[in-house]
Amino acid sequence: MPDNEAERLAALHATGLLHTPAEARFDRITRLARQLFGVQSAVISLVADDYQWFKSRQGLDVCQTSREISFCGHAILQDSIFLVEDARLDPRFADNPLVTGGPCIAFYAAAPLSIADDQRIGTLCVLDPQPRQPDAGTLQALRDLADLAEVEISRQQLQDQLQRAELAEQRLHWVIEGTHVGTWEWNVQSGETVFNQRWAEMVGYRLEELAPISIETWTSLAHPDDLQLSGQALGKHFSGESDYYDVICRMRHRDGHWVWVHDRGRLVSRTAAGEPLLMAGTHADVTDQVQARLALEQSESQFRTLVGNIPGITYRCLHDEHWTMLYISGEVDPLSGYPADEFIGNRVRSYQSIIHPDEHARLEREVGGAIARGAPWEVEYRVCHRDGTVRWAKERGTPVFDEQGQLQYMDGFILDITREKQLQLDRDNYLEALSESEQRLRGLFDLSPIGIALNDLNTGQFVQVNAALLAPTGYTEEEFLGLSYWEVTPIEYEDAERLQLISLRETGRYGPFEKEYLRKDGSRYPVLLNGMLVTDAGGRELIWSMIEDISERKRIDRMKNEFISTISHELRTPLTAVSGALSLLASGAAGELPGSAKTMVELADRNSQRLLLLISDLLDMEKLLAGKMPINVQEHRLATLLDEAIETMQPYAGQFSVSLKLGPVASEARVRVDAPRFQQIMANLLSNAIKFSPPQSRVDVELASAAGRWLVRVRDQGPGIPLEFQPQIFQKFVQADASDRRSRSGTGLGLAITHALCQRMGIEISFSSTPGEGTEFVLGIPAVGDAC
């Protein structure tokens, strides 16, 4: 529903068009629209409160439908043309009974009809059972025809208003003092003047406010440009050239605008010398009438302009051997090379003379047959241009009969379709090239090393599969096409599968998504799926999927993880001993070392610590992936946890000349987490923020609440995360600077571990970063109780 529905309905009812008989002025427009688009139906539809009623209809039997299923109910919400090229593919209309049943609408185009301060009361629409893709020129023609319909609606209202105004004006000179007309009496010789109260009210005053009153009162309020006209009219009346003084002029209202006044009067007496003496008359406010007449004149001008601007050639001609033109628009010049006035009445040449000779017999047969049936026609033919070239024209016309059924003339329009004919030839060539392209794509489908499948969205049935998909399944193609994807998916993936289908319906895509497929023998193998939603020509929704057998990748990942786990466990014990010994040596426990030896021992100590950190991170990641890391969730005060995290990282921050600042923390903030693992999360976030902050800068930790969660924000003033790296931020062994010369050390596992720990404890983790402006990580921790 439009926001202004009440005003819109009021404007519609004010037209008086609802449930009125058919009118030729509107039927001409719908006939032209139907012929212009070459469609089954054209309608002027008026959208009432719960139904749409057809003021004019061509090719449609019903006179109204429910607004609930109307296309026009959508169209009146638009400022411009509302176009539906194929309603069967449009989710708004695909199940509409007007689409699935009679009149089987596929193509629909509508131009809103607006009146009275842009109140959209309905549409001029065209519809057809076949999909279409009209060009911009044709759509503009529909808009132009809709403008003609608006002019017809408005012109009738304006004519009614003007007729009422003229009737009122005829009665004004019989109105006496005391009516709602301003009256005046004027002593021409002395200037003494008497006005009634209504005279003053017309210009926004009370009569006493204008005192002292004289003829100067009138001249001071009259428009300066109208005083000369009034003076000339008075002169003619005083001299006897006119029986009455009669002028329409302007007077300045108290508010500053101009009021149109019909000023009429007559000389009542003369002096003994024959000079004008007393005169009386009336003032009537005719502002509405004048403005209506001006609007009508403007509408008529617009009507002429619109007719002249309809694309193509509009004509009216006789059905004789020459097709004698009674009217033909100027657009015939580009088509023929000759000006329009040479064809009117066959003044220089007939229109029939420029039609290619080989077309005459056929046109006479087809047009004559249509006239005999009383039906419109559409024909294409060749035109001989003045420059010797041959052009193509498409003509749509209709016979016009009188009340006795006699043919009066033929109306229609002609389009230059030379370019379209050339495009048709180009299109034929394109379709041939498209066929070759489809053959190449079919080859890629069949030879692809990755499995490809096409499934019906609603049933899951396989429609097409390639050889790469069939290879690991043990099925033949015929057997596999008898299955749905539910039949090759283990039952435990059902919930995850439905989530992917939701993503597919909402975004048009799904994946990447890992699951397992069932072979014919019942064994399983892992697959990685990606897909997208498509719609075929019949409107059926289908899923294109890329299905990659990742058995080998999984085997290699297992080997890698086992290798890393084994190496980490085997290295940890000896490396701990080495690191401890180096720490003792560096601290002087074995005596003071020489300068060069001390430097080397300290270097070895630092690197052994880095190796221990790497191995610890590897083991933590291995435990998380294997689900072996115990998580002991208990209730804690968030303030205590954050204070401890800040205190623990202060020495590390001092090494980088970076300060840590904890903002206000609500004392009632309580959460359920594993405290040591939460400290590990905070340590990872704070150490990253410290490492990448410039000296003398600050890392802020702040607490806020939102939607039942406590939000812990860690914000630094560093260089930010490069845009190309942001999608990988939580992956294993990934660092923004992966070179051997990177300035910040690290394992590339900290954020991956942090992300995994957050998932285990139900914490949401997110980040935002603008290169050059710093990075902010946010932990969303479920609050305990109603404190949040």
Side-chain angles (χ1 to χ4, degrees):
M1 288 290 177
D3 295 336
N4 61 339
E5 178 67 0
E7 294 82 0
R8 189 193 71 79
L9 287 174
L12 170 61
H13 290 294
T15 65
L17 291 175
L18 279 174
H19 305 293
T20 57
E23 296 181 59
R25 58 196 179 115
F26 293 114
D27 290 344
R28 282 193 293 270
I29 293 173
T30 52
R31 281 197 300 272
L32 281 174
R34 185 183 183 191
Q35 295 163 12
L36 171 65
F37 276 79
V39 293
Q40 176 176 290
S41 307
V43 176
I44 291 178
S45 171
L46 303 177
V47 182
D49 50 353
D50 60 353
Y51 66 97
Q52 61 173 350
W53 181 78
F54 306 140
K55 173 61 181 173
S56 175
R57 63 186 191 276
Q58 304 293 329
L60 197 62
D61 294 330
V62 298
C63 63
Q64 72 179 54
T65 68
S66 166
R67 180 174 179 179
E68 184 178 10
I69 62 170
S70 71
F71 284 57
C72 296
H74 293 264
I76 62 171
L77 302 178
Q78 310 298 317
D79 293 328
S80 58
I81 297 290
F82 181 67
L83 176 63
V84 180
E85 295 180 349
D86 192 346
R88 300 168 304 179
L89 306 182
D90 192 319
R92 296 170 296 180
F93 304 110
D95 60 348
N96 190 300
L98 299 178
V99 176
T100 58
C104 300
I105 298 172
F107 167 74
Y108 173 88
L113 299 177
S114 301
I115 63 168
D117 298 326
D118 198 29
Q119 300 293 340
R120 303 188 189 104
I121 64 170
T123 70
L124 170 62
C125 61
V126 292
L127 42 139
D128 197 83
Q130 296 298 320
R132 294 170 181 265
Q133 293 181 326
D135 57 28
T138 305
L139 293 177
Q140 182 59 47
L142 180 64
R143 180 64 261 171
D144 293 342
L145 289 173
D147 291 344
L148 293 179
E150 292 176 357
V151 169
E152 286 295 332
I153 296 170
S154 300
R155 182 168 63 172
Q156 185 63 47
Q157 290 181 297
L158 291 172
Q159 286 176 338
D160 293 343
Q161 184 178 1
L162 186 58
Q163 288 173 357
R164 292 192 297 270
E166 289 175 347
L167 179 61
E169 186 179 343
Q170 291 173 2
R171 294 174 177 172
L172 283 177
H173 68 280
W174 303 108
V175 179
I176 61 174
E177 183 70 18
T179 66
H180 207 53
V181 176
T183 62
W184 51 268
E185 299 175 16
W186 175 33
N187 187 317
V188 180
Q189 299 301 315
S190 67
E192 182 181 356
T193 308
V194 177
F195 300 127
N196 72 347
Q197 185 66 35
R198 173 57 186 155
W199 191 97
E201 290 173 353
M202 277 191 288
V203 286
Y205 293 94
R206 296 191 305 276
L207 195 60
E208 57 269 22
E209 292 179 306
L210 295 175
I213 294 174
S214 69
I215 193 61
E216 297 298 327
T217 306
W218 175 76
T219 57
S220 66
L221 294 173
H223 195 291
D225 295 345
D226 295 339
L227 288 175
Q228 183 179 1
L229 177 64
S230 297
Q232 292 172 350
L234 281 173
K236 289 182 179 181
H237 180 52
F238 290 162
S239 66
E241 293 181 48
S242 62
D243 293 334
Y244 292 93
Y245 161 74
D246 192 333
V247 172
I248 294 179
C249 57
R250 289 162 290 181
M251 295 185 65
R252 187 178 65 253
H253 193 275
R254 184 176 194 165
D255 294 339
H257 64 273
W258 295 100
V259 178
W260 284 95
V261 176
H262 192 175
D263 190 3
R264 302 187 71 182
R266 189 173 186 179
L267 195 61
V268 177
S269 62
R270 293 180 179 268
T271 65
E275 296 294 324
L277 180 57
L278 293 177
M279 190 172 181
T282 61
H283 269 184
D285 185 344
V286 292
T287 303
D288 291 343
Q289 295 91 321
V290 172
Q291 290 178 345
R293 183 166 60 249
L294 293 175
L296 180 60
E297 292 171 356
Q298 183 179 9
S299 295
E300 290 176 346
S301 174
Q302 291 174 344
F303 181 83
R304 298 189 194 97
T305 301
L306 288 171
V307 171
N309 287 334
I310 291 177
I313 307 157
T314 55
Y315 71 84
R316 169 169 287 183
C317 72
L318 301 176
H319 185 223
D320 57 19
E321 61 177 329
H322 302 296
W323 286 16
T324 300
M325 291 292 168
L326 303 178
Y327 167 79
I328 190 166
S329 63
E331 290 299 316
V332 72
D333 190 345
L335 177 65
S336 68
Y338 301 104
D341 60 357
E342 293 188 4
F343 295 100
I344 305 298
N346 303 327
R347 190 173 68 84
V348 177
R349 59 183 50 78
S350 68
Y351 184 75
Q352 191 263 359
S353 68
I354 66 169
I355 297 175
H356 196 285
D358 295 345
E359 307 281 15
H360 290 174
R362 178 177 64 84
L363 290 180
E364 184 60 36
R365 183 173 62 254
E366 294 183 10
V367 175
I371 292 174
R373 298 189 303 274
W377 62 86
E378 179 178 315
V379 290
E380 294 182 3
Y381 52 84
R382 289 166 290 173
V383 172
C384 299
H385 194 274
R386 184 176 189 173
D387 62 10
T389 60
V390 174
R391 307 289 178 90
W392 277 93
K394 175 184 285 188
E395 176 181 328
R396 296 190 181 106
T398 186
V400 179
F401 300 93
D402 62 16
E403 295 180 356
Q404 289 72 41
Q406 297 297 314
L407 179 65
Q408 295 295 293
Y409 39 76
M410 304 185 301
D411 284 343
F413 61 89
I414 303 163
L415 294 173
D416 185 343
I417 60 169
T418 306
R419 177 174 173 79
E420 286 78 356
K421 283 289 186 181
Q422 182 60 46
L423 289 175
Q424 183 177 353
L425 177 61
D426 295 342
R427 184 162 52 249
D428 292 342
N429 294 334
Y430 167 75
L431 290 175
E432 182 179 352
L434 182 61
S435 177
E436 295 177 0
S437 175
E438 288 178 349
Q439 293 177 7
R440 289 194 295 269
L441 288 174
R442 183 68 199 185
L444 290 173
F445 175 81
D446 292 336
L447 298 175
S448 170
I450 295 177
I452 304 174
L454 183 66
N455 295 86
D456 186 290
L457 174 64
N458 295 316
T459 66
Q461 195 75 25
F462 284 97
V463 179
Q464 278 184 282
V465 294
N466 69 347
L469 176 58
L470 290 173
T473 66
Y475 288 102
T476 65
E477 182 176 1
E478 183 179 359
E479 291 172 334
F480 206 78
L481 292 180
L483 304 173
S484 75
Y485 55 71
W486 295 110
E487 294 176 272
V488 295
T489 301
I491 189 66
E492 62 264 27
Y493 291 97
E494 183 175 351
D495 291 342
E497 189 80 28
R498 295 193 185 281
L499 289 176
Q500 296 299 319
L501 285 174
I502 292 172
S503 173
L504 185 69
R505 292 183 183 278
E506 292 179 350
T507 67
R509 295 182 177 275
Y510 79 92
F513 168 47
E514 286 190 20
K515 68 174 184 179
E516 291 179 308
Y517 261 13
L518 294 171
R519 295 186 179 93
K520 184 177 181 179
D521 61 9
S523 62
R524 303 183 179 194
Y525 66 98
V527 291
L528 177 66
L529 298 96
N530 289 273
M532 63 184 293
L533 185 64
V534 296
T535 305
D536 66 11
R540 182 169 62 156
E541 293 181 303
L542 301 167
I543 311 171
W544 271 117
S545 298
M546 304 292 290
I547 305 167
E548 183 181 359
D549 181 351
I550 57 173
S551 301
E552 182 63 18
R553 184 191 307 176
K554 288 289 186 180
R555 187 183 68 83
I556 293 173
D557 280 348
R558 284 195 301 271
M559 291 174 59
K560 180 189 68 177
N561 291 335
E562 290 170 1
F563 173 76
I564 291 174
S565 176
T566 301
I567 293 299
S568 299
H569 281 284
E570 292 299 325
L571 287 178
R572 190 172 197 177
T573 300
L575 187 57
T576 300
V578 171
S579 178
L582 289 172
S583 296
L584 289 172
L585 287 173
S587 66
E592 190 67 28
L593 297 174
S596 58
K598 184 178 182 180
T599 300
M600 294 177 67
V601 169
E602 290 175 347
L603 177 62
D605 183 32
R606 285 197 301 273
N607 281 282
S608 68
Q609 293 297 329
R610 289 181 61 189
L611 284 173
L612 276 174
L613 178 61
L614 172 59
I615 291 172
S616 295
D617 283 349
L618 285 170
L619 291 174
D620 281 348
M621 182 55 68
E622 188 262 336
K623 289 178 182 177
L624 284 167
L625 292 175
K628 297 177 180 179
M629 177 174 285
I631 300 294
N632 182 20
V633 175
Q634 295 182 4
E635 186 174 325
H636 298 275
R637 289 183 66 251
L638 189 52
T640 301
L641 296 176
L642 295 179
D643 285 338
E644 183 180 339
I646 294 294
E647 182 179 353
T648 301
M649 296 304 297
Q650 286 289 5
Y652 185 73
Q655 297 177 23
F656 292 86
S657 300
V658 173
S659 61
L660 298 179
K661 181 181 178 182
L662 175 62
V665 179
S667 60
E668 70 275 12
R670 303 187 70 82
V671 294
R672 289 182 57 80
V673 295
D674 182 316
R677 297 306 174 191
F678 181 78
Q679 293 300 338
Q680 187 176 356
I681 290 171
M682 290 301 299
N684 283 335
L685 296 181
L686 288 171
S687 63
N688 278 347
I690 292 166
K691 281 193 299 185
F692 291 99
S693 294
Q696 313 308 321
S697 65
R698 188 177 72 197
V699 173
D700 291 301
V701 180
E702 297 176 351
L703 182 66
S705 63
R709 289 181 177 269
W710 292 109
L711 304 181
V712 177
R713 304 180 185 276
V714 178
R715 183 170 56 252
D716 64 48
Q717 300 171 4
I721 303 170
L723 293 175
E724 65 275 10
F725 177 69
Q726 290 184 14
Q728 312 167 51
I729 192 71
F730 294 119
Q731 294 181 14
K732 296 179 292 183
F733 302 108
V734 174
Q735 291 182 301
D737 181 3
S739 68
D740 292 337
R741 299 182 300 276
R742 61 178 182 262
S743 59
R744 299 291 188 266
S745 62
T747 65
L749 289 172
L751 287 177
I753 293 171
T754 297
H755 186 261
L757 289 173
C758 285
Q759 287 183 318
R760 292 288 301 276
M761 289 189 285
I763 298 173
E764 294 179 356
I765 182 168
S766 61
F767 73 96
S768 61
S769 180
T770 302
E773 298 182 10
T775 301
E776 179 180 82
F777 279 85
V778 181
L779 299 176
I781 312 170
V784 175
D786 300 326
C788 198

